[in-house]
Amino acid sequence: VEVLLVHPGGPFWATNDEGAWSIPKGLYGPAEEAEAAARREFREETGSAAPEVLMPLGAFPLGNAKVLTAFAAAGEFDVAALVSNTFAIEWPPHSGRQQEFPEIDRAAWFAATDAEHKLVPAQRGVVRALLERL
């Protein structure tokens, strides 16, 4: 089993690897369904449509009063074709200059056991849930 993970872009994450990766994800409000949000965020962060069939994996508390609703899918994704949306922040800090950075700077496929170590700790339960479902 391989898991597609994405690495956050921008200067804060540039030198972090172990424990810094994520599943493609994002926020959604009460007017949007979790699956629709997952599809939207996957497209925004990767530049590709999510596979047609998504398997719900459950809800995972992130520890900051947010809850991650995760889905899995069988499919292929060429990590070299990654195209992420961008965000702007003041960088360097206190410089008054706004710079744009990709929300996701790279993607990679990992064996499930390796993915657990690459993921931010709050998301590691997603891989365990995936393996239990399979």
Side-chain angles (χ1 to χ4, degrees):
V1 174
E2 288 188 313
V3 179
L4 177 68
L5 300 180
V6 294
H7 186 271
F12 298 113
W13 295 97
T15 60
N16 295 323
D17 186 65
E18 200 81 9
W21 292 70
S22 175
I23 64 170
K25 57 148 184 42
L27 299 174
Y28 68 99
E32 187 176 25
E33 293 190 20
E35 184 173 323
R39 291 181 182 286
R40 176 181 49 76
E41 287 291 336
F42 190 87
R43 178 171 291 287
E44 288 176 1
E45 293 188 355
T46 67
S48 296
E52 187 174 319
V53 177
L54 297 183
M55 175 178 52
L57 294 178
F60 303 86
L62 297 180
N64 56 2
K66 295 179 183 175
V67 176
L68 171 68
T69 303
F71 296 86
E76 297 179 13
F77 177 76
D78 178 4
V79 297
L82 177 78
V83 177
S84 177
N85 58 346
T86 61
F87 68 96
I89 61 169
E90 180 182 10
W91 193 259
H94 312 295
S95 67
R97 291 185 22 225
Q98 291 286 312
Q99 290 195 47
E100 294 252 339
F101 296 96
E103 186 174 346
I104 301 301
D105 62 11
R106 61 189 180 273
W109 289 97
F110 294 97
T113 52
D114 295 333
E116 278 195 77
H117 298 290
K118 292 289 186 181
L119 278 167
V120 294
Q123 293 182 29
R124 291 179 179 160
V126 173
V127 174
R128 291 188 286 276
L130 171 64
L131 294 175
E132 288 172 8
R133 290 289 309 267
L134 297 177

